[in-house]
Amino acid sequence: MSLPAIPAELRSLLEQLPEPHILFTPDYRIVFANRAYRDSHGSGRALLGQTCYHVSHHYDAPCDQSGESCPLARSRESGQRERVLHLHHTPHGEEYVAIELMPLRNAHGEISWFVERMTPLPSARRHGNDDLIGRAPAFVRMLEQISRVAPSDATVLLQGESGSGKELVAQAIHRASKRANRPFVVVDCSGLPETLFESALFGHERGAFTGAVSRQIGLIEAAQGGTLFLDEVGDIPLTLQVKLLRLLETGAFRRVGSVEPRHADVRVISATHRPLRQMVADGRFRQDLFFRLNTFPIALPPLRARREDIPALADALLERVAPSRGLRLSPAALARLASLPFPGNVRELRNLLERASLLCDGPRIEPEHLDDPLDSPWLAPADTPPAATAPSANSPASRKALAAQLGISERTLYRRLKAGWRP
């Protein structure tokens, strides 16, 4: 197949760009790959003439005909630059890649070429032993937001249930940012007493208070040039929220016991499982601070909203908790996991698999290895007389039948119903 000639100026421009770029025609045919692409993906000569959807996805048809969003189709329709997050086949395995596609027009205003820039999203893959793993729609939407906000210095607020991976998401944002080579410093806002919080965050001078025998820099200074992650920001005392607000608004702070202002060059990411909007309404959190933290909010999906990710997550977690054993879940054990409500999210899944790995002597985890010791009969609550009304899922009789149907104990069913699970 003969390929169209590429203007020398365009070829030279693409060759000098630091990020991987490819150039292709409106019929999806790749005609050029720049040096950055060749360095990260191998020789570009083998790509020439192939379609972008075959190279990136191994599809036989364009993305929009194969169940994915196609940036070329969207750009052809809008006539503008388009951005998507796609899962690409790369020499390093399957990786999530942020795609930015731009149409190029000729002198007659017609689209002659499409230029595609590819930016891998660190710590995010469909499979493997990486921090962020998944392919569920809710998970991919979260990754799309990460890919958009990471290159900026915008303040990010992560909201999600306990155990949903807020710190891992914060790390992924940091690694995909221009501050990736600088410190990532975690501030556990729930683990510091109010009397020590200000000193830990801002630092202190010698003699600032009883026990301050020497000057001490704070976590803000430790994060200079990098990212400051405020974990469980909803637990910051009201008396200190105004000082944090001043830091966000002016970039200035003072060590405890000092009058000398200092400048903080940090990107702030905060996280909480608390309902901050309701806390603002109740007067327990400053509204102005909430607005400063909430520049770019990201909601983390709970594990029950991405159950299709459980097999890949379980494989990766088993490699972490038992790296030398090659443990795998039996189909029955995997089905058991898929039925659980997981109020503790990925953290609960990891704990469950770690315990199962200790109970399992062979190479395969079975359903009995996932049983909860708190299901013991002597720990079960005493039965109560059935209600006079029609039995519900919470009635003892119904619980017994439903537990038998699900293949679990009544105690386990009772705890799941109490946690909000509904059959």
Side-chain angles (χ1 to χ4, degrees), residues 18-92:
E19 304 92 356
H21 283 73
I22 59 172
L23 180 72
F24 49 90
T25 60
D27 64 349
Y28 307 95
R29 298 287 171 181
I30 298 173
V31 295
F32 181 73
N34 73 347
R35 181 181 292 107
Y37 184 96
R38 299 193 301 271
D39 289 345
S40 59
H41 292 73
S43 174
R45 185 171 296 277
L47 301 175
L48 301 185
Q50 296 195 56
T51 61
C52 56
Y53 52 80
H54 176 74
V55 170
S56 297
H57 302 285
H58 297 177
Y59 291 157
D60 295 325
C63 298
D64 57 339
Q65 300 174 31
S66 305
E68 290 214 49
S69 174
C70 176
L72 188 149
R74 287 168 48 175
S75 182
R76 183 188 289 127
E77 181 178 350
S78 68
Q80 300 176 355
R81 186 190 310 256
E82 294 289 344
R83 296 176 61 178
V84 298
L85 185 76
H86 271 185
L87 189 64
H88 277 192
H89 289 274
T90 75
H92 314 291

Side-chain angles (χ1 to χ4, degrees), residues 129 133 312-322 346 349-350 353:
N129 195 26
I133 299 169
L313 283 168
D315 286 344
L317 290 171
L318 283 173
E319 290 179 13
R320 297 175 195 175
V321 301
V346 179
L349 175 61
R350 179 190 172 111
L353 292 173

Side-chain angles (χ1 to χ4, degrees), residues 279-302:
M279 292 177 67
V280 169
D282 296 341
R284 292 179 292 141
F285 201 86
R286 291 183 63 100
Q287 184 180 60
D288 45 9
L289 178 57
F290 171 73
F291 288 140
R292 292 294 302 186
L293 295 173
N294 200 44
T295 301
F296 195 96
I298 298 179
L300 277 66

